[in-house]
Amino acid sequence: LKDVKKLDSFLLIDDDPKDKKQPLTFDVETALTVLRDNYPTHALTLAKKHHEHSWYLKIQLDRIHSETLSESDQARVLDALTYIEGLSFGEANLNLRKYGRTLVTHVPGPTTELLKALCTGRFHDSTDKADPANFLHLFVSHRAQLREFLEYIVDVETVANPQIGNTLLEMVLGDVGRSPAAAEEDAEDKPIIMATNEAAVLALLDNPRVKYDEDHALILMQMHGLKQGKRYLYQKLHMYHMLLQHHMEEGDDLAVLDQVKQHGESNPNLWLLALKYFSDQKDPGHLQTLLSWMMDTSVPAPPIPPLQVVAILSQARDLPLSVVRPYVVSQLKQDQAHIDKEKDEIKKFQQDTAKMRAQVTALSSKAMVFQATKCDLCSHDLDLPVVHFMCGHSFHQNCISETDRECMTCGPEHRHFVALQSSLQAKASNHELFFNQLETATDGFNTIAEYFGKGIFKPVDDDDDENHVAESVGSNERFSNEY
C-alpha cells in the first residue's frame, strides 16, 4: 500500500476493464473497503471502473455531514450528482433514493431538476417514470424545493398516488396567510398573498390530474379555516346538509335559498333545516319566499307533510300568523282538490264495479247472443267455422291457433290483471317490504292507505282462500262455442 505504482499495477487501474486477458487477483468490494480511507482516489477509480455505483457514491458523500462545505467537498457533491446523471434509469432511481437527501441539501436546484426528469419520463429519453412519493423524504427542511417539485409533477403528469396530492395540499395550506418574508413585508400585501394562496388551494382541489384523499382534505380545510375550500368539498362530496349549515353559519341567506332550490328535491331535510333557520329571523321575507316555493308546483320540492311544516313554524313565537296563513290556506285547498278528485275516482270505480257485476250476473243467468258479422282479427265477414268468446269477440277458426284458447283482443289485458293480483298477494305476505316502505316514506299514512286501497290488509281465512284460488283458476278458463 505504500508504493503507489505497485498498487496501480496490482489493481489494474490503467488497464481496460474490457480486457479479460489478465484476471483479477482480488475481490473488488474488499479492495474498496481497504482503500476508501487512505486512498480515496484509487477507490473512486476502481469503483467507477468496475461499475460499483453504490460504492462510488458512498465514498463521495458519506463523509459530508456539515451544511457548510469546503470547495473540495462541494466538488465531490457535484461530481456525485453528475455521476448519477450518467447512470441508467434503474440505478439512478435507486441511488437517488439513497443519497438524494445529501444532494438536495447542498445542490437543491440541480437535484430537484434531476428528480423532475426522473419522475416525468425525461431521464435519458426513457419512457420509465419513477414514483414521486419515493422521493418526498429527501426534501426534509427544504420546503420550497418540495413544493416546486410537487407542483411541477402535478402540472405535467396525472398523479394517481394520493400521497402526492395530500402532501402538496398540506404545503399550500401551510402557506395560506404566510408571506415569503413575514418579518419585512408590508401589511397591505398580506390580503393579496392570502388570496393568491387560497386560489392555489382551490386550483389544486379542482385539478383533475391530482388525486387526493377528499376526507383528509376536508379536515385540512376545517383546520385552516379555508371557507372556499370547505364549500368546494361539500359540493363535491354531495354533503349538501353540511353546505347548507355552512351558509347558515355565515349568514348567507341567498346561498341557503339557492341550495334548497337546487338540491332540496332529493333531500327533504334541507327544506326543514331552512324552515327552522328562517323562522328564527326577525325579517320573514326569506321565509315567505321559501313557503311560496313550497306552494309553487313548478319548483321541484319533495312532499313534506303540512303538519310537519306547521309544527316547525309554531316554535317561532315572534312569527306572525300572516306569514303562515297563505301556506296553510293553499294546503287546505290542495287537500280539498285532492279529496274531490279521489271522490270522483271512487264514484267511477263504483260505477265500473256495478257494471261488471251486472255483466257477471247476465253471463251466469241469461243466454248470450253473438251477433258479430266481422272477424275481430282480419275484419272479414264471418263464415263457419267461427269461434265466439264470452267477452263478445268473434274470430274465424283459421285466424286463431289451436293452442291459443283465449280471446286475442282481451287476453293481454286479462293477463296483466292476473299478474297484478298475484303481485298484490305476494306483497301481502312480504311484511319486511311493507315496513321498509313505511320507514323510508315521507308520508307513512299515505303508504298505509295505499296498501288498504289495494286490499292487501283484507283478512282471508282458509276456506275463502281456497274459494279465491278456485275462482282465479275458473276465470282463466276459456269459454268458447264453435258453430
Side-chain angles (χ1 to χ4, degrees):
L1 290 177
K2 296 181 179 180
D3 192 332
V4 177
K5 291 184 178 180
K6 290 183 178 181
L7 181 61
D8 292 343
S9 176
F10 175 75
L11 297 176
L12 304 177
I13 288 180
D14 296 331
D15 295 340
D16 187 355
K18 297 181 181 179
D19 186 6
K20 299 183 180 179
K21 294 181 180 180
Q22 190 173 1
L24 292 176
T25 58
F26 59 90
D27 180 71
V28 175
E29 290 194 7
T30 303
L32 290 172
T33 304
V34 174
L35 295 172
R36 62 176 296 187
D37 293 329
N38 298 320
Y39 294 91
T41 304
H42 287 74
L44 289 173
T45 305
L46 186 64
K48 188 174 184 179
K49 176 181 178 180
H50 294 282
H51 306 291
E52 295 290 343
H53 309 305
S54 181
W55 269 100
Y56 186 93
L57 296 171
K58 182 188 296 185
I59 295 170
Q60 289 286 58
L61 300 176
D62 265 6
R63 294 186 177 182
I64 297 178
H65 301 293
S66 62
E67 295 184 0
T68 304
L69 300 181
S70 62
E71 292 184 2
S72 60
D73 288 342
Q74 186 71 21
R76 288 163 57 192
V77 172
L78 292 174
D79 177 73
L81 181 62
T82 304
Y83 186 83
I84 292 177
E85 291 176 347
L87 298 178
S88 64
F89 172 83
E91 290 289 344
N93 184 14
L94 178 64
N95 286 286
L96 271 175
R97 292 165 64 180
K98 189 174 182 180
Y99 300 104
R101 186 170 180 179
T102 301
L103 296 175
V104 170
T105 301
H106 299 291
V107 280
T111 306
T112 303
E113 293 300 321
L114 178 59
L115 289 171
K116 291 178 183 179
L118 198 69
C119 296
T120 56
R122 296 187 297 106
F123 186 77
H124 298 331
D125 297 328
S126 173
T127 57
D128 296 327
K129 299 176 183 179
D131 186 358
N134 294 331
F135 304 107
L136 297 181
H137 67 283
L138 307 181
F139 293 92
V140 176
S141 303
H142 297 279
R143 182 185 185 88
Q145 283 73 28
L146 177 58
R147 179 168 178 175
E148 176 190 349
F149 171 65
L150 294 179
E151 287 180 340
Y152 177 81
I153 295 298
V154 300
D155 287 340
V156 175
E157 297 291 330
T158 299
V159 181
N161 191 339
Q163 185 179 358
I164 300 298
N166 292 343
T167 303
L168 181 56
L169 185 60
E170 290 176 4
M171 295 193 65
V172 177
L173 280 171
D175 292 337
V176 173
R178 178 191 299 176
S179 65
E184 300 178 0
E185 69 175 358
D186 190 349
E188 296 180 356
D189 295 335
K190 289 184 179 181
I192 300 176
I193 296 172
M194 290 182 64
T196 303
N197 288 328
E198 288 183 1
V201 172
L202 293 177
L204 180 61
L205 293 175
D206 196 38
N207 191 340
R209 291 178 173 270
V210 183
K211 184 178 180 181
Y212 53 87
D213 187 336
E214 294 168 343
D215 294 330
H216 178 69
L218 184 56
I219 293 174
L220 291 176
M221 297 298 128
Q222 293 172 344
M223 289 175 57
H224 290 82
L226 195 62
K227 299 176 182 178
Q228 296 184 36
K230 286 197 294 184
R231 288 196 293 267
Y232 176 85
L233 289 174
Y234 286 150
Q235 190 81 23
K236 184 176 182 179
L237 296 173
H238 305 291
M239 300 173 66
Y240 301 124
H241 61 290
M242 294 296 295
L243 182 58
L244 188 70
Q245 190 67 37
H246 173 77
H247 290 315
M248 291 178 180
E249 293 174 357
E250 295 296 317
D252 193 347
D253 296 345
L254 295 179
V256 172
L257 290 174
D258 183 63
Q259 287 299 316
V260 171
K261 195 171 186 179
Q262 286 186 17
H263 308 292
E265 183 179 8
S266 59
N267 193 343
N269 289 330
L270 298 184
W271 290 87
L272 302 179
L273 290 173
L275 282 172
K276 176 62 178 174
Y277 171 71
F278 288 127
S279 64
D280 294 334
Q281 294 183 351
K282 294 182 179 180
D283 185 4
H286 294 308
L287 178 60
Q288 290 175 326
T289 301
L290 195 64
L291 292 175
S292 66
W293 287 352
M294 298 178 71
M295 294 184 288
D296 189 356
T297 56
S298 63
V299 177
I304 301 176
L307 289 178
Q308 191 173 5
V309 176
V310 174
I312 293 175
L313 298 180
S314 64
Q315 298 177 6
R317 297 183 178 181
D318 298 332
L319 186 65
L321 181 61
S322 59
V323 176
V324 187
R325 185 176 181 278
Y327 171 77
V328 175
V329 172
S330 174
Q331 290 299 317
L332 291 176
K333 289 182 179 179
Q334 291 182 14
D335 291 343
Q336 186 61 46
H338 183 69
I339 291 172
D340 294 339
K341 181 181 178 181
E342 295 292 338
K343 285 183 177 180
D344 292 339
E345 290 186 359
I346 291 173
K347 185 177 180 181
K348 179 178 178 297
F349 289 148
Q350 288 175 342
Q351 293 174 351
D352 293 342
T353 302
K355 183 178 179 181
M356 291 178 184
R357 286 177 177 173
Q359 290 177 350
V360 171
T361 302
L363 288 173
S364 60
S365 60
K366 298 180 181 179
M368 184 171 182
V369 179
F370 298 98
Q371 298 178 341
T373 59
K374 300 286 186 180
C375 175
D376 286 297
L377 183 62
C378 66
S379 300
H380 291 164
D381 293 337
L382 287 174
D383 51 5
L384 298 178
V386 178
V387 179
H388 298 284
F389 288 92
M390 300 301 289
C391 59
H393 295 104
S394 301
F395 303 90
H396 291 118
Q397 187 178 15
N398 295 332
C399 289
I400 60 175
S401 63
E402 295 181 358
T403 58
D404 191 3
R405 307 300 293 173
E406 69 176 358
C407 177
M408 301 178 66
T409 303
C410 302
E413 184 179 3
H414 173 70
R415 288 193 297 271
H416 169 71
F417 284 113
V418 171
L420 182 61
Q421 185 181 26
S422 301
S423 175
L424 292 176
Q425 291 175 354
K427 272 189 174 183
S429 60
N430 192 343
H431 305 294
E432 184 178 355
L433 176 62
F434 167 71
F435 285 110
N436 286 339
Q437 291 183 357
L438 190 61
E439 290 177 358
T440 57
T442 56
D443 189 352
F445 179 80
N446 186 41
T447 302
I448 297 176
E450 181 183 359
Y451 269 76
F452 267 110
K454 293 178 179 179
I456 292 180
F457 293 136
K458 180 180 179 181
V460 179
D461 55 27
D462 295 339
D463 295 337
D464 291 341
D465 194 16
E466 292 177 0
N467 295 334
H468 177 71
V469 173
E471 290 176 0
S472 298
V473 174
S475 64
N476 291 331
E477 294 179 353
R478 285 79 173 176
F479 299 95
S480 64
N481 290 320
E482 297 185 6
Y483 293 87

